[in-house]
Amino acid sequence: MAFKLPGKNKLSKEQLDIINLSTKNSWVIEGGPGTGKTVMAFYRAAQINTESEIPLLVYNRPLRNYLNSAVKDLAITNCNVYTYFQWIESFYTDILEKKCPYIDRYKPDWDQVNNDIAELGKYYEHIIIDEAQDFPLELIKIVGKISKSVTCFIDPNQTINVGQTDVRSAVRFLRVPVSYKLSRNFRNTIEIRNLAALYCQDGEPPVAYVSGEKPRFIKCDDYEDQTAEIVRIIEDNPEKSIGIICGTKSSQGGLYNALKDELSKNIKIQSSTVQSNINFDIPGVKILNYSNMKGLEFDIVILPRIEKIYSSNDKTIDMNRMYVAISRAVDELHIFYFDTSIGRSYANVIWPILDNPDVVTWWE
């Protein structure tokens, strides 16, 4: 299911206030999962009266693909969604007419990029950044120099990479007096939000208001047992959007192959290990991993074998990744495990559930 924008009449006063902030100034907006950051980003883009392009920068390709339908829904002719790597590459190709300089494959030469872009001055009227906490700080500095104003959405509790942008730095380099904070969660049920709260490292996540079922914590004997239960969940919910978030790329590929053989032929499965660009306009199951799930949401989220998620070697990042994964779920969350022992190279993210058994329904 692709991203769908709610009508403005369904937005809260808090959200409308953010949407209506002056686009002549820069703003930093703090908001947890489900607060509608991306919705507000699109409505802000739609109301900016300019013929020049408004780039909306996001973290990864699945999120870019997921959001492209919203541009069509609002008929925003001057807004384009880019990953930040894609934006830099296209800027060099289309505007500077040369290749972007790199130190290595995934690290631009930020000093050279800064020099090249600084010569152009305020090239853009406005740039919007979504999930800025996983953007390099160097990019935030450059965006602040090349655009007359910036709207920067950020949530430090959803940081999944070490050493990226924090709120204080975003405020400083975009020259914003203070950040705005959003308080309401419009995505998750109370029960899913309460589980996510166990992984929130700084304060409390936004408050949810809709009740639902507790997340299911499901013990399986082996992969065959786990696959059978996942197939049952999918087959019982043919009309719902379903996201499966795997702890490793190898387990992602293995589950894709298993489900392809077991599911009904009319159920479409896409995996980021198979399709480089997942098409969210196609209904069915999307299989992702903890590095490319950001910004997405699904009616149902399935987390296979949470004792087999590779560790980042940073406890805060490990907890943040679990926080993000849990909060992708709108209505249902199913968490699988085989045992509670954790191997040396894996993240110990199972303990908050073991210490708070009432937040889930135990299933064996």
Side-chain angles (χ1 to χ4, degrees):
M1 181 178 69
F3 181 83
K4 297 299 180 185
L5 278 166
K8 266 194 173 182
N9 61 332
K10 295 184 178 179
L11 302 183
S12 69
K13 181 181 182 303
E14 181 179 64
Q15 292 172 320
L16 291 171
D17 286 345
I18 297 298
I19 290 169
N20 292 324
L21 289 172
S22 170
T23 54
K24 301 297 183 184
N25 305 100
S26 292
W27 308 95
V28 173
I29 315 297
E30 291 185 65
T35 52
K37 298 187 295 296
T38 306
V39 171
M40 289 178 275
F42 278 119
Y43 274 115
R44 279 184 68 71
Q47 71 180 19
I48 297 173
N49 185 21
T50 177
E51 294 182 359
S52 62
E53 181 190 39
I54 303 169
L56 171 54
L57 308 184
V58 300
Y59 176 65
N60 58 31
R61 283 189 296 179
L63 181 56
R64 179 201 66 194
N65 298 340
Y66 180 63
L67 297 179
N68 271 330
S69 62
V71 175
K72 299 173 187 175
D73 285 350
L74 271 182
I76 310 174
T77 58
N78 61 342
C79 178
N80 291 306
V81 184
Y82 300 94
T83 67
Y84 68 81
F85 274 119
Q86 182 190 29
W87 173 69
I88 293 172
E89 287 278 356
S90 65
F91 192 90
Y92 265 84
T93 301
D94 299 339
I95 308 303
L96 298 178
E97 298 182 340
K98 58 183 178 179
K99 290 184 177 180
C100 179
Y102 281 89
I103 293 174
D104 58 38
R105 184 178 179 186
Y106 295 110
K107 187 175 182 180
D109 183 342
W110 291 115
D111 289 337
Q112 186 60 51
V113 172
N114 184 63
N115 291 337
D116 290 341
I117 286 180
E119 295 177 3
L120 297 174
K122 300 295 186 181
Y123 185 86
Y124 292 101
E125 289 291 327
H126 199 80
I127 293 178
I128 300 173
I129 303 173
D130 196 13
E131 307 287 357
Q133 68 275 0
D134 284 307
F135 282 48
L137 184 56
E138 294 90 346
L139 183 72
I140 305 298
K141 297 177 186 178
I142 288 166
V143 167
K145 290 181 178 179
I146 201 170
S147 184
K148 293 179 182 178
S149 59
V150 179
T151 299
C152 176
F153 293 96
I154 189 168
D155 180 12
N157 285 313
Q158 294 189 70
T159 302
I160 63 170
N161 290 297
V162 177
Q164 304 294 70
T165 299
D166 57 67
V167 175
R168 182 178 296 179
S169 297
V171 166
R172 175 186 172 193
F173 288 110
L174 295 179
R175 299 181 179 180
V176 175
V178 66
S179 64
Y180 277 75
K181 291 188 178 182
L182 300 166
S183 61
R184 295 189 64 181
N185 179 345
F186 297 93
R187 175 191 299 149
N188 308 129
T189 63
I190 294 169
E191 291 75 13
I192 292 171
R193 179 266 178 202
N194 289 345
L195 175 58
L198 300 180
Y199 295 88
C200 187
Q201 299 295 283
D202 183 13
E204 285 286 319
V207 177
Y209 295 89
V210 178
S211 292
E213 298 293 328
K214 286 183 181 181
R216 293 170 72 223
F217 194 51
I218 305 166
K219 188 175 190 307
C220 292
D221 296 327
D222 51 34
Y223 284 106
E224 185 177 348
D225 189 20
Q226 176 180 258
T227 300
E229 180 60 18
I230 291 174
V231 167
R232 188 199 65 75
I233 294 167
I234 295 170
E235 297 275 12
D236 285 350
N237 296 279
E239 302 301 319
K240 300 221 174 153
S241 62
I242 298 176
I244 303 176
I245 303 170
C246 296
T248 67
K249 288 187 177 180
S250 61
S251 63
Q252 187 180 352
L255 185 58
Y256 172 81
N257 290 327
L259 292 178
K260 189 172 61 172
D261 293 336
E262 296 294 331
L263 284 170
S264 303
K265 298 302 180 184
N266 62 325
I267 296 178
K268 304 295 184 184
I269 311 172
Q270 296 182 75
S271 171
S272 60
T273 57
V274 178
Q275 290 86 11
S276 59
N277 290 308
I278 289 179
N279 186 346
F280 287 90
D281 290 321
I282 298 175
V285 181
K286 313 298 186 294
I287 307 178
L288 303 147
N289 57 62
Y290 283 76
S291 66
N292 63 12
M293 61 178 172
K294 288 191 65 65
L296 306 176
E297 70 173 45
F298 302 93
D299 297 326
I300 298 171
V301 165
I302 297 169
L303 306 180
R305 290 210 75 177
I306 66 162
E307 80 274 26
K308 292 291 184 180
I309 302 170
Y310 277 131
S311 175
S312 68
N313 297 315
D314 184 304
K315 180 181 176 182
T316 296
I317 298 297
D318 290 342
M319 295 290 278
N320 285 354
R321 288 177 178 173
M322 193 66 177
Y323 177 65
V324 174
I326 290 169
S327 60
R328 300 310 92 200
V330 176
D331 298 316
E332 294 182 27
L333 176 64
H334 305 271
I335 303 172
F336 289 83
Y337 70 105
F338 291 6
D339 57 60
T340 57
S341 60
I342 307 296
R344 180 174 296 178
S345 57
Y346 298 105
N348 186 4
V349 293
I350 200 171
W351 66 264
I353 297 175
L354 302 180
D355 288 351
N356 300 272
D358 291 341
V359 299
V360 297
T361 297
W362 292 70
W363 198 273
E364 294 191 11

